[in-house]
Amino acid sequence: MTDISRRKLMATGSGLAIASALPKSASAATDVVPPVHHMVYFWLANPESTEDRDKLIAGLKSLAEIPEVQRLHVGVPASTLKRDVIDNSFHVSELMMFNSVEDQDVYQSHELHTKFVEECEGLWEKVVVHDSIMA
Amino acid sequence: MTDISRRKLMATGSGLAIASALPKSASAATDVVPPVHHMVYFWLANPESTEDRDKLIAGLKSLAEIPEVQRLHVGVPASTLKRDVIDNSFHVSELMMFNSVEDQDVYQSHELHTKFVEECEGLWEKVVVHDSIMA
């Protein structure tokens, strides 16, 4: 084997190694964020019940199984400094990211979502939804 | 060079290639989401003005320069299917992620943020903020 062919072989070897490592690197480097953000705020019917809150949180987390849901973050109010514009009166929040508006619409009628609504809608007295698409 | 030493050299070459690609792969694999989510909805004073909307969007995007801001997504209402619970009357939305409540508080008084408020607060007539921490 000549030096050149050995270098080519080595280069190929390294190239394969890079290629096999690339898919995750590439997705991290570009960090493609699903562009449709579905943000939901729940006010509990029984705000004092941590049991109800935890049941709602668990129910929301189960929605991650729906294929169209790319990312799901369930939250509770954060203790940021009080300002007039802040409305942290909600009890539970949900942030979902989808690849498209169509995927979000499909999610709404997915059986796991309708099952969640049937089982949990008694827990809240008010719900507000804001749907955004990245600008 | 023997076959063995060549293979070792090739293996080392591949190893280096993988190692150099790993940090990003590793961060993608763990995908640590900053836990504090600062969600802001703006209603423009002049909703018909795309110039005002674009100025607000540009102003919001400039806030990504603040070190405490881990992620920033600026949006406009998405055309999801209409339902009673959806309030997509806002004109611009902002989703920021922070590593801690303290970081969010620091962001509020950062000079780039106060400059943004001074320059852009005339653009909106109403703003609502919800701050969540992941449950």
Side-chain angles (χ1 to χ4, degrees):
Chain A
M1 186 178 274
T2 63
D3 270 358
I4 291 173
S5 66
R6 186 161 63 243
R7 278 199 297 270
K8 281 181 66 175
L9 189 55
M10 284 170 58
T12 307
S14 302
L16 283 172
I18 290 172
S20 68
L22 255 185
K24 282 183 182 172
S25 299
S27 68
T30 53
D31 192 22
V32 177
V33 177
V36 174
H37 301 170
H38 176 63
M39 295 163 284
V40 189
Y41 304 92
F42 297 90
W43 283 259
L44 291 170
N46 300 304
E48 306 305 320
S49 169
T50 54
E51 190 183 344
D52 279 11
R53 188 196 63 180
D54 292 348
K55 191 178 170 189
L56 177 55
I57 289 171
L60 288 168
K61 287 185 175 179
S62 75
L63 300 174
E65 310 241 338
I66 300 175
E68 284 76 13
V69 176
Q70 300 299 316
R71 300 186 193 179
L72 167 64
H73 307 305
V74 180
V76 293
S79 53
T80 45
L81 293 174
K82 300 302 169 219
R83 295 178 298 129
D84 284 348
V85 292
I86 297 183
D87 176 4
N88 274 4
S89 64
F90 66 93
H91 303 109
V92 177
S93 67
E94 167 204 342
L95 164 61
M96 279 185 178
M97 297 188 180
F98 295 90
N99 286 335
S100 67
V101 166
E102 292 72 22
D103 273 8
Q104 197 282 148
D105 293 340
V106 168
Y107 152 80
Q108 288 296 335
S109 52
H110 191 284
E111 62 178 347
L112 283 180
H113 181 240
T114 52
K115 180 167 169 276
F116 158 78
V117 174
E118 282 171 19
E119 291 179 355
C120 292
E121 64 184 344
L123 298 175
W124 63 78
E125 67 171 14
K126 178 184 166 188
V127 57
V128 172
V129 180
H130 299 303
D131 288 327
S132 284
I133 186 163
M134 280 166 64
Chain B
M1 186 178 274
T2 64
D3 270 357
I4 291 173
S5 66
R6 186 163 62 243
R7 275 200 298 271
K8 280 179 70 175
L9 188 56
M10 283 171 57
T12 307
S14 303
L16 282 173
I18 289 173
S20 69
L22 255 185
K24 284 180 181 171
S25 301
S27 69
T30 54
D31 192 22
V32 177
V33 178
V36 174
H37 300 170
H38 176 62
M39 295 162 285
V40 189
Y41 304 92
F42 298 90
W43 283 259
L44 291 169
N46 300 305
E48 306 305 319
S49 171
T50 54
E51 190 183 343
D52 279 11
R53 188 197 61 180
D54 293 347
K55 190 177 170 191
L56 176 56
I57 289 171
L60 288 168
K61 287 185 175 178
S62 75
L63 300 174
E65 310 242 338
I66 299 175
E68 284 76 13
V69 176
Q70 300 299 315
R71 300 188 193 179
L72 167 63
H73 307 306
V74 180
V76 294
S79 54
T80 44
L81 292 174
K82 301 301 170 218
R83 295 178 298 130
D84 285 348
V85 292
I86 297 183
D87 176 5
N88 274 3
S89 63
F90 65 94
H91 303 110
V92 177
S93 67
E94 166 204 344
L95 164 61
M96 279 186 178
M97 297 189 180
F98 295 90
N99 286 333
S100 67
V101 166
E102 291 73 22
D103 273 8
Q104 198 283 148
D105 293 339
V106 167
Y107 152 80
Q108 288 297 334
S109 52
H110 191 285
E111 62 179 348
L112 284 180
H113 182 240
T114 52
K115 181 167 168 276
F116 158 78
V117 173
E118 282 170 19
E119 291 179 356
C120 292
E121 65 185 343
L123 299 174
W124 63 77
E125 67 170 13
K126 178 184 167 190
V127 57
V128 171
V129 180
H130 298 304
D131 288 326
S132 284
I133 186 163
M134 279 165 63

